Amino acid sequence: MKNPVILTGDRATGPLHLGHYAGTLKSRVALQGTHEQYLLIADMQALTDHADRTGLVRDAVLEIALDYLAVGVDPDRSVICRQSGLPALSELSMLYLNLITVSRLERIPTIREEIASRGFGRAVPAGFLAYPVAQAADITGFRAGLVPVGADQAPLIEVTNEVVRRVNALAGEPVLPEARALIPETGRLPAPDGRGKMSKSAGTALPLSAGPDQISAFVRSMFTDPGHLRVEDPGRVEGNVVFAYLDAFDPDREEVSRLKDRYRAGGLGDGVIKRRLDQLLQELIRPIRERRALFAGDPAQVLGIVKGGTERAAERTSETRRRVFRAIGVGALTVSA
Ligand code: TRP
């Protein structure tokens, strides 16, 4: 069977960071060799909580495109596109909004948590509450079968598939495919202080453009085991931020497991594991930073890539819109017999 089409995206609220790299950017680069893949820069979705900051959202489109290219996304194999240039997605959203209830949206764990943590209450922007519906339009608009996303986004794929089943039932034929989430093995990276996850809004993110000193300062600020005062003391590996990062990035699993044993037994200093991690992250980020700087020197070329990708994506998504509207009998200029 042919490989499923992949669609994934990022909210255009600022540049991406190391957490995105460990989460899905790395796998997108790997999948582009075998799958038809679309990467959506979600600037419309960004407006659901940044409606008064359109300038920031506009600038973030270029930043995210730079991040994609910097990590090795090849625009000849992956289609990089911009959501606001794809009106068919908005049209599908308007249709789908009638197929999902407000109470269903309010029950989605991520939505509940985000509404609570931002203190929106009943003053939540309607577009924010409904962004899972817009995301269903993104996914189905590309007729995607596979969606690489973090674990927190998995419930949104369920909502998408509820929409798919309703549309197919209305149409009386399988006009849309169901989608499957592809969840990364490495969970989200912790913040350097171990409280919460790496996040740009919390100021705990390491950008993909980080310089050598910024990387070193980031590693130095990591919490290890507060009980590990002297090198000879036995140390804890669980909840130790440095080991969490070594687990995520160190290709030498055996050496990491030996280091863990030595750390637990006592006699291994924090400096040693931090130096190892610092070196790893320096080697990982240096080529990304250098490629990013190269592309950043030619923004016209990068925006041209986004424009070309958006044109290709517009063809695919408007074809979906046409099929769905026709299949369920919306928008035809005819009278019922
Ligand atoms: N909600 C995703 C995020 O927070 C971005 C996104 C928009 C997305 N549309 C999508 C992800 C479709 C996967 C599929 O970054």
Side-chain angles (χ1 to χ4, degrees), residues 8-55:
T8 185
D10 298 280
R11 244 173 224 243
T13 54
L16 304 177
H17 54 65
L18 188 66
H20 293 108
Y21 182 79
T24 73
L25 288 178
K26 205 173 38 172
S27 65
R28 297 179 199 181
V29 175
L31 290 164
Q32 69 185 349
T34 47
H35 292 65
E36 181 176 346
Q37 172 168 260
Y38 297 85
L39 306 183
L40 180 71
I41 305 178
D43 55 347
M44 292 300 284
Q45 189 180 112
L47 294 178
T48 63
D49 60 351
H50 287 73
D52 53 351
R53 301 176 73 184
T54 53

Side-chain angles (χ1 to χ4, degrees), residues 51-52 68 97 113 124 137 142 163 168 182 203 206 208 222 229 246 248 277 310 312 322:
D52 53 351
Y68 289 166
L97 279 169
E113 281 156 30
V124 59
F142 285 91
V163 169
N168 289 344
L182 184 65
L206 188 67
L208 293 172
M222 284 181 177
L229 296 176
L246 288 175
L277 178 61
T310 304
R312 282 177 65 187
R322 203 182 54 75

